[in-house]
Structures are given as C-alpha cells and as structure tokens.
Amino acid sequence: MKDYDIIVIGGGHAGIEAASAAARQGFSTLMITQSIDAIGRLSCNPAIGGLAKGNLVREIDALGGEMGRLIDMSQIQFRMLNKSRGPAVQAPRAQADKFTYSRNAKELMEHTKNLELFMDTVVDLLTEDGKIIGVVTERGWKISSRAVVLTTGTFMEGRIFIGEYDAPCGRLGEMAAQGLGKALREKGFDVGRMKTGTPARVAASSLDFDEMEIQPGDEEIVPFSFMNDEIDRPQRNCYITYTNEETHKIIRENMHRSPLYGGKIVGKGPRYCPSIEDKVVRFPDRERHQIFVEPEGINTEEMYLNGLSSSLPEEVQRKFMRTLPGLRHCEIMRPAYAVEYDYLNPQELLPSLESKHLENLFIAGQTNGTSGYEEAAAQGLMAGLNAGLKLRGEKPLILSRTEAYIGVLIDDLVTKGTKEPYRMFTSRAEYRLSLRHDNADQRLTRKAYEKGACDKERLERLEEKLIAMECVRELVKSYKERGKNGLALLKEPEITMDYISEHVEKLKEYPSQIRSEVELDIKYSGYLKRQEMEVERFMKNESILIPDDFDYDTLEGLSTESREKLKSIRPHSVGQAQRISGVRVSDIALLMMGLKSNRRAKESEDGSPE
Amino acid sequence: MEAYTTDEPIYALATAFAPSALSVIRTSGDDCIQMISRIFSSKKRLMDAKSKTLVHGYLETLEGERIDEVVLSVYRKGQGYTGEEAVEISAHGSLSGLKRIFRALEEVGFRKAKRGEFTFRAFMHGRMDLTQAEAVEEIISSKSELSQAKALDRLEGRLRSRLEEYREKLIYILSSLEVQLDYAEDEIPEDWIFPEDDVDEMILGLERLLSSYDSSRLYREGAKIVLAGSTNAGKSSLFNLLMKENRAIVSSIPGTTRDYIEAWSNIRGIPVRLFDTAGLRESEDEVESEGIKRSEKLMDEADLILFLVDPLDPKLPEKKRGNMIVIYSKSDIEKRDGLSISSETGDGIEELFDKIEDFLSKGATELDEIVIDSERQKEDIASTLETLRTVRDLRRDTSVDVYALYFQSALETIGAITGEVTNEELLDTLFSKFCVGK
C-alpha cells in the first residue's frame, strides 16, 4: 500500500494546478513544498494574463483549473489587450494583488478534498524497475506514491545574482532546493541551466506620481473564469515612465559589473523579456525605453518596475533608477536580481508530460524550461490530469495545436525543446484565429468533462451559453436592412453588434460577452473558413501515426542526425516528426515510405486485405 | 509514389545513347565498387581507390574478355551525386560496346535505373532540395542546349535566390505584424503600416516569373511549327531540309502521309517540333478530308505556322493568322518579293531562321532571365501571387490579425518552393529587429 496515489513536488502555479487536478479526479494527493506560506506566490510581475497568456488562463479554466478563479478573486486592474489589432488576438490581462492571490491559493489548496500539504524539500526520487515509487525529503522522510509530478520552478539548484553578490536561492530570501538537480543528473536526466530576472520593488511613498503617465484599467471587466459572470473588485492605476540617455550611460559604464556580461551566469535568458542591460546593449540607437510602474497590491507600498529587470549591483541600480522621471527619489525595498536554475530538457517528455526515462514521473512548469505563471499552470494542469489518467489506465489527454494554446505549448516543448525560457506567443499558434480566449470553453470543456477533469456544473454552464449564443444569432438574423439580414450585415466592417442591438431591443437582454462572441464568429467566418482548410492540411500528417515500437534502425538511408533525433524524441505522428528541427524533408519521405511498407507487411502477416 | 528504392545497385547511361566519342555510365548503390571490380582489369587498384579519384583500366566480361578501355570515377559513400557509394564509367561511345557493358553490369547484379532514380536518391539522401532535383530532371530530359543552359542556371539556384529574396521580405513583413500581435499596444504603440512598395514589387516580380512559364515551355516542350500550304508548295522539301540541317529525328509518324509527319529538331538552339501537314485543299476523299480537319486543328494549336506558297502557282492563305510567316518557295526557279527560299540551293534559309528565332523569342524572356519550369512551382507562385493581390486589395483599416493571416499564407506557399519557414525563424527576426519586452 502506498502512502499516496500522487505526490506533487512544488507549490507554485504548476504545482497548484497539478495537485488540484489530481485531487479532483479523486486520487489521494500530497503537495510537498519548501514553504507553505509561498504557495501560489507571484515571484515576478504582479499580473496574470496578457497576449496568448490570457488565452492560456482561460483554457486552464475551461479545463477545470484554478488560475482563472484565483485571478478573478484578486485582480486590481483589468485590461483587454490589443483590441485595436484584431478581435481574434485580443487577450485579457489583470494586475493582481499578490498577497491576496497567494493567500487565496493557499486556502484553496487547504480546502481541496483529497489533497494534503506538507512542508519539506524533496532531495531524491525513489525508483524501481524504471518506475517512480516515491520521494526522499531533506528531513529524511521516504514517502511512497504511484505517481509523482515534479514542479520545481526556479528552485532546483537555484542561484541568485545581484552584481558581485550571489547566493543559493530560488527567490530572494528563499533557499534553493539543493540535491535534487544532482540526483536527477545522476539518474541520467538531461539537465541544463536557465536564467531569468526580476526588477526592483520600490516604495510608493517615494515616487513622484505626477511626473508619470497614468495607465488606467478598462471600464468593462471580463472575468477570466467561465464560472464567473461579473467581477466587483477595487481598481488601481499603473504608471508609465521612460529611461533616458543618462540612464543608459550609467548602465553602460557599469556593464562590467553585471554577472551576465562577466560570464558568471551560464544559463540562457529570455530574449523577449530582456534585462535593461540587454536592451541598452542590443538597441544602442534607442533613446528611451518604456517602464511600467505597477502596484503589487491594494494595501502595500511595494511598486513593481516592469521593464527594469537587472542584475547590476544595488548601488548601480539605485543610481540609474533615480534618473527616471517619477523615480528620482525612489527608495528600493527589494533589489532587482537574476536567478539561474536547473531545468530538464522537455524533449525527454512524452506529449502527456510523462518522463520517457522514468515511468509515472510527470514534469511541469519552469522545470521544463518555460517562463511565466500561465505557461507553468497550463503544464501543471495537464501533468496532474494525465498522471491521474495514467493511474486509471486511460489514454492521456493530448491537446492538438489546432485546438488550444496549451496544445501548441506542449507540442513545442516536447518536439523542439527550448534554448531560452519558453514563453507563449500568439505567433507560435498557427491557427490562432480560432483559439480566441472567449471560446476556450467551447473548445475544451466537453473534453475535460469526459476525462473527469471538471465537474458537471461547468458543462451545464457551457450548454447554457451555447443556447444563448444561438438565440443571439437568431435575433441578429431577424434584423433586416437594405434587403440583407443581420448575419450578412455584420460581415460589413462598419456594422457592429452594438448597432444591431440598437434596433433589436431584445438583444440587450443578453450579456455583452455573449453578443461579442457571436459578433466575432460572424465577422471572422470568412477567415475562419480559410484557416479550416489549413487545419485540414495540417491534420493529414498528424493523423499518420507512428507506432510506439517503430524501429528507426530499419529505415535505410536516414541521415544519422535525423535517426538520432527521431529515436530520442519518438514522435507519435509524421506531423510531429516534421516539426523536429534538423529532420530533413527527405527523411520524412523515407519515414512515410517506411511506415507504409511496415503497414503492408503487418497486413499481409494478418492476412487482412488492405 | 513510384517504387523507387535506395541503396540497391543501379546503373544508367548518363549521356545519349548515340554513337559518340565518349559515353558515361553511372552506377550507384551499396557495394557497387566491389561489384564492378569483378569485371574490371585492375581489381585491387579499384578496391583501394580513395573517394573522388580516377582509376584507369579495362572493363571485361566475367569470363575475362575485354570490352572497352575505361576510366572509372570512384565515389565512396556520402560523396557522390546520390550520396551513395558510386562509380562513373567513362567509356567509348560505340553502341555495341555500351550494350556489352550493360550486360556485364547486369551479370554482376546491377539493375537498370528507373527514370529519375538517381535524382530521387540524391534527394532522398538530402543531397539536393526539390528545386534542384527538378532542374536535374530537366537536364536529363532537355531537348536542346539552350534549354539545358536554363536548367543549369536554375540548378545553381537563381530561381531560388530570387524567391529567397521575396521570402525574406515576407518574413520581415510578417514579423513586423507579429510583433504587434505578440506585444500589447502600450508596449509597441506604433501602428503597423502596410508596406505598399514591397508588396507591389513582389507582385510585379511574381507576375513576371509566372509569365516566363509560358515562354520556358517552348524550351521544354519544343515550339510547335506547322508547315502549311498547298500541295507541291515545297513543304516536304523544307521539312527534309530542316531535318537534315539539324540532324532531326523523326520520332513518330502517326496516320498516313495524308495526315501529317512530326519531327523533333532545333532551330538556333530552340527545340522545335515540326509538323508537315497534308495539302490544305478541298477534297471529297473521306480519308483526306479527315486529314485536313486534323491539319487545321494542328494549325490552331501551333506556336508558328510556316505557310509555303509556290511562286508558279501562288495560292495565299485564306485566313491570315498572327503567328503565320508566308514564304515563297522555289526561289531558284522564280524569286518573288518577300521572304523567298529555295530548299534546293539553301537560298534564304538563314533569313528564314532569323525570322523563326525572332518570332519564337518575341515576348519570351531573355536568356538570362530566371524562368520557372515545373507545374508545381507555377502553382505555388500563382497562389502566392493571388494571396498578395488579395492582401493588396484589403481595406487599409483591416485589423493586423487578418493581414497576418494572408502574409502567413503567402510565406507558406513561397516556402513550399524554397523551404519552410518555422515559427522560430519568425521569432528570431522579430527579436533581432524590434526592441520588445517590458
């Protein structure tokens, strides 16, 4: 008898989703975390969502996850981003009260049925016959389980850097988890180093707000969770200021004191979220860089300086920060720092996020080389869900690139791996027009329900919504103008749902969310059709499956490089094989021919006709 | 898919099967060096030969009877054209000698290659991309030197580099769109501006590439030239002259002499298919009138009609056509104004060739222009062009996500020729060109 069905290592955003997904399926689950107070902590920016990331949050919610509800309960500013750049790619983003967010997260975990919390540090994994059977903790506990989900974030052999200072921490002031990285290296896992950073927090009372631009939130707040109809929360402003030549000069003069440029940090940092040093070096012609000043919560003095992440010494940070309008008198409460940590090559994972090395070990979050709360949570959810499905003897839930950003995320990770912290972008999704944030429930909730990942109430809400949308469509259709009905009219750029609602009183009885979703469906129907054709083409190769036991050594003529890659990644379809970088077209042609003759041989063995 | 294989030893004649000073036979496949050593005089030297070296000696039958003095070019695995172990045999080009070599090769286990199989193997072993593979195909099947030059040109990737230029443009445009979609309005506040000039330039360029398809078809398939005119106007004499002058081969003679005769030839390097029609005159004879019908159909399809007129019995064409050159024949008997030739003396023939060349290259692209030759490339280019035209005609207040959709699809179709563009490549461009990130 095992102590638990599933152990989740880590209480960050991946850990929260993994633990609750496992517990929701009825498995006895244990979350082991280094600090119970740190559950659900927002270590970097005080915000959830954003472009593509907002879509991830809504997908997580549609699949029964927690992140959407947590941010709805703690947000202090809401904005729908990129409304002007196309309705299909707009996404929600909310500033969070950090302290409310993590307190709610902890309470949620505490009150989750089948879930227990335990404070300790895991230092090794227990294995038997290529399977994981439990964990060993720093204080000497051996806890057994049938499956383990590993979500260590930046803590595995973490080290922070501030100028010449460095210390073994996962976050400033929090000890790194030492030992596990080494143990995994010894077990043959492909372990690498990555780097990320966070800017300084300054005291609100030391800022000159009248020198900065105000950035208010939207009037209309759209809930992240499909379970919420509306949000009533106190709102706060953000502020915008800019660096200048003086700032850049100070940074340039002190560049040699940055551990990034001095060679102390070996891990690769993200290009999309560069430190201010990076920006100054890489774009020397830019006269200024935009900095966002964001509150960390309602009742806190701490303000987050978005865009000023740095690993320069503290006195240099203070000096250059004080050149910015609004920050001339700023007092630093927490310095900016860089953190370097162990990550595991995600190419060693199956699309279910189960390790190829160790059966029943699932890995999620920053451990897999990603960055961002949302990316972590999405993986955590899938890992927890699939760990449960595995224990139930069911097929894993693998989302396709065509149906969810989560599908894109995981396929990218396990197929291509990543050299820098992986962040979700809309441009990573080929079929993003249909991956809108507002239709995530339509895309995913039914699937989740069938796998036991979400409750009936969620499905019922989806069904109600679908009925409402149908009614809206009928009402739109009933409107006539210039001999056209409302559906045809809505396709014209000048005609909006609001305009039609002015003429069809009854439409106003429906929530604006429902109306806007119908409006987008109609307005984009032409483009969606175009995209559907591409999806079909894409699915052709996705549907040519490669048997798990396919022997690449029998394929003559494969290049050595391709053979090695195919053997280690073991793609499940020709489509996935095609996406492995460095695998040549000719090798794919060979593979397809090989699969064909393989199938023929099998069929003739079975004696069944083709 | 044709049942091509790789690594199985194959051979094929790389030069024309015609009497010539030198012929080259290619072989490729596993152990082909060892297999050839069995029918080669200096077995050890061949077996020890380093890759990309020459070995001189004699090919023999298995019984040791000398066939021909040859030079072997040896390629170890991974080095030759196909990427497989390979030997190229340079032999003397006597037909009977070649046939004996083939027999000997088959005796030691080679099989005759299927059409395009060497190219297929080269492609399968990653030795060349699809564009290059098609060009090689074409060299093999090209009908004249000029056509060959064009194919060679493309082999060097000129089409590729032009398309590569457009591809890079599209990547840049798309990344400038993607940066707007990947980052929020407050991070990248600048609005996207439609790159009118770049798009117009690409549309123009692709249109020209596309129109080159038709002219290059002449080089690939040969220009259809129909000889017409009344009986005894001298069609057959001219036909024979053209064949003789240019060593044409009468490849097929369908129907009867009352129908038409077809032959391959080339005029000033342009491959032509010559058709000698039956006399165009009214006839009660059923067979003949059938022939006339066919002749007229031929003329409708012709790229060029040479209408011959007998100066002694001048019958001008009833219907003038734009692609018709009227020629007076028998200038040795009676010389008329206008183009006048004699198939007997060769008088006026050069002038005729000038005219034919002028006509066929009219509207055709210059020789140093890039041309596209395959149906597949044509389709991909046409669809890229179509997408770019659509995007050009979109309302300028269309949102950027829709613009991105079209540019993405243009990039995909052009990528089908030059090689796919991955999302990573886009992000690389995006990160290197735009200062992004909070």
Side-chain angles (χ1 to χ4, degrees), chain A residues 481-548:
Chain A
E481 190 184 299
R482 291 175 279 137
K484 293 177 175 175
N485 73 25
L487 296 179
L489 288 166
L490 256 186
K491 285 187 186 161
E492 297 174 10
E494 284 81 12
I495 307 286
T496 62
M497 181 64 93
D498 285 346
Y499 172 85
I500 294 182
S501 303
E502 286 306 311
H503 297 83
V504 185
E505 238 357 80
K506 266 196 119 177
L507 272 173
K508 289 184 179 163
E509 289 169 22
Y510 291 89
S512 67
Q513 281 312 303
I514 302 274
R515 280 185 284 154
S516 106
E517 200 171 336
V518 173
E519 181 179 13
L520 291 189
D521 282 350
I522 296 168
K523 281 212 178 294
Y524 274 73
S525 56
Y527 306 122
L528 283 170
K529 209 166 274 163
R530 197 188 164 100
Q531 191 182 273
E532 254 162 50
M533 280 161 30
E534 281 162 24
V535 167
E536 256 170 56
R537 214 172 30 215
F538 170 84
M539 288 310 285
K540 247 182 221 158
N541 281 348
E542 292 305 296
S543 61
I544 307 177
L545 299 180
I546 306 171
D548 288 342

Side-chain angles (χ1 to χ4, degrees), chain A residues 79 85 215 290 307 427 432, chain B residues 124 178 182 186 188 438:
Chain A
R79 285 199 304 135
R85 285 170 181 171
Q215 192 187 36
Q290 202 174 18
S427 58
R432 61 184 166 210
Chain B
M124 286 308 252
E178 294 295 349
D182 284 344
D186 54 0
I188 309 279
K438 284 182 173 175

Side-chain angles (χ1 to χ4, degrees), chain A residues 271-272 274 278-279 281-286 420, chain B residues 171-172 175-176 179 183 424-436:
Chain A
R271 286 175 299 172
Y272 49 80
D278 263 342
K279 282 190 250 187
V281 170
R282 286 180 44 213
F283 298 95
D285 298 336
R286 286 281 279 228
E420 67 180 324
Chain B
I171 290 181
Y172 184 77
S175 68
S176 73
V179 79
Y183 288 88
E424 278 79 76
E425 200 172 340
L426 263 180
L427 282 172
D428 286 345
T429 310
L430 193 156
F431 293 138
S432 65
K433 302 271 202 269
F434 304 94
C435 177
V436 290

Side-chain angles (χ1 to χ4, degrees), chain A residues 261-469:
Chain A
Y261 288 87
K264 262 169 101 178
I265 295 182
V266 294
K268 194 146 191 241
R271 286 175 299 172
Y272 49 80
C273 186
S275 64
I276 188 69
E277 294 96 285
D278 263 342
K279 282 190 250 187
V280 169
V281 170
R282 286 180 44 213
F283 298 95
D285 298 336
R286 286 281 279 228
E287 284 162 19
R288 60 180 204 173
H289 296 279
Q290 202 174 18
I291 304 302
F292 298 81
V293 181
E294 304 169 357
E296 295 242 301
I298 294 278
N299 295 315
T300 178
E301 275 287 296
E302 287 188 80
M303 299 291 282
Y304 178 91
L305 301 180
N306 205 339
L308 270 186
S309 117
S310 171
S311 57
L312 287 167
E314 285 180 66
E315 68 273 19
V316 179
Q317 289 186 26
R318 183 182 149 97
K319 202 168 162 200
F320 78 68
M321 279 162 57
R322 286 192 162 207
T323 62
L324 274 75
L327 302 184
R328 290 184 217 283
H329 309 99
C330 73
E331 291 299 341
I332 296 178
M333 295 173 73
R334 303 181 200 226
Y337 61 89
V339 57
E340 200 188 31
Y341 52 94
D342 277 356
Y343 80 101
L344 304 175
N345 178 3
Q347 286 174 301
E348 298 190 334
L349 298 176
L350 299 167
S352 62
L353 296 180
E354 185 178 2
S355 166
K356 289 173 190 167
H357 286 306
L358 208 49
E359 203 179 336
N360 293 344
L361 172 67
F362 291 76
I363 306 173
Q366 234 161 339
T367 317
N368 286 336
T370 61
S371 94
Y373 314 135
E374 304 81 1
E375 288 85 349
Q379 294 169 67
L381 175 74
M382 298 311 289
L385 180 57
N386 284 328
L389 290 170
K390 177 90 195 277
L391 296 188
R392 297 205 314 244
E394 283 185 40
K395 271 193 175 169
L397 179 61
I398 292 162
L399 300 173
S400 153
R401 298 182 76 88
T402 62
E403 65 185 339
Y405 275 96
I406 297 180
V408 175
L409 168 71
I410 295 178
D411 181 63
D412 276 350
L413 288 176
V414 304
T415 309
K416 298 174 182 160
T418 184
K419 295 275 179 286
E420 67 180 324
Y422 180 102
R423 169 175 155 183
M424 198 65 226
F425 283 109
T426 60
S427 58
R428 296 196 195 268
E430 296 84 349
Y431 312 108
R432 61 184 166 210
L433 287 193
S434 51
L435 305 185
R436 289 184 346 227
H437 73 87
D438 59 353
N439 63 18
D441 53 346
Q442 292 188 59
R443 292 184 271 124
L444 302 170
T445 295
R446 200 172 299 277
K447 277 200 164 178
Y449 181 74
E450 281 161 10
K451 294 284 189 186
C454 73
D455 53 22
K456 185 120 205 204
E457 197 192 338
R458 211 171 252 287
L459 188 65
E460 282 165 1
R461 272 187 75 97
L462 168 65
E463 275 157 6
E464 278 164 28
K465 174 178 152 181
L466 292 176
I467 291 166
M469 284 179 71

